Amino acid sequence: MKCNRLVDAGRRQFLRGGLVGAAGAAASAVLPAQQAQARSLARVEYSASKLANISDLTVNEPMDIAYPDADSPGILLKLGQAVEGGVGPDGDIVAYSVLCPHKGWMLSYNGEDRTLNCPGHHSRFDAEASGQQVWGHATNNLPQFVLRVDDNGDIHAEGVDELIYGRLSNVL
């Protein structure tokens, strides 16, 4: 009799695990859409600002910029291939804050693997994947500046899609 109860308990546990697994699979199908929506909800509007012209950029060489003001350092990059969030004729121009979202350390750009790297706690962010964190202590992705290119090739920043380190004004 004891053995039958153990078998029944094992079956119940197995079925519960199967239900949890099925629910997880269903949630993972919805997750990309929710992540895209969450990113758009985190967007912070700032005044538009001209950063540069397309002709000022060289592939894989970062240009120092500041947005939304002089106290917010960033970089503008022409990556040479279309990427998510990229603008311009080739869809390859992106801009990011260079303040690590973990502790505010200044990030440096590594052109070999196209990452932005923190010297403090070694967080790494993928410049080709919308500033997604690929390693380290940070708990947020790197803030990406929302860009627009006009008919003259001028590149304008019009907002930020994540929270800039140390800014109380961008808390939602």
Side-chain angles (χ1 to χ4, degrees), residues 43-65:
R43 182 173 175 174
V44 180
E45 300 289 334
Y46 288 106
S47 299
S49 178
K50 179 183 170 189
L51 301 177
N53 188 282
I54 291 175
S55 63
D56 300 331
L57 300 176
T58 303
V59 173
N60 209 27
E61 288 187 23
M63 173 185 280
D64 291 332
I65 58 168

Side-chain angles (χ1 to χ4, degrees), residues 72-161:
S72 182
I75 62 166
L76 186 62
L77 288 166
K78 180 170 178 60
L79 295 169
Q81 64 186 28
V83 295
E84 184 180 342
V87 299
D90 301 323
D92 66 342
I93 299 171
V94 293
Y96 297 99
S97 170
V98 291
L99 297 176
C100 181
H102 177 234
K103 293 285 185 178
W105 289 75
M106 287 286 278
L107 304 174
S108 61
Y109 179 68
N110 179 335
E112 289 181 29
D113 64 3
R114 297 182 181 208
T115 59
L116 289 123
N117 302 290
C118 180
H121 298 103
H122 309 292
S123 289
R124 298 170 51 106
F125 305 90
D126 189 338
E128 295 178 311
S130 300
Q132 181 179 7
Q133 179 189 349
V134 293
W135 181 259
H137 292 299
T139 57
N140 293 353
N141 292 329
L142 193 59
Q144 183 173 3
F145 301 150
V146 178
L147 302 177
R148 173 182 59 85
V149 176
D150 67 20
D151 294 338
N152 299 321
D154 291 333
I155 305 164
H156 302 269
E158 298 183 332
V160 181
D161 76 350

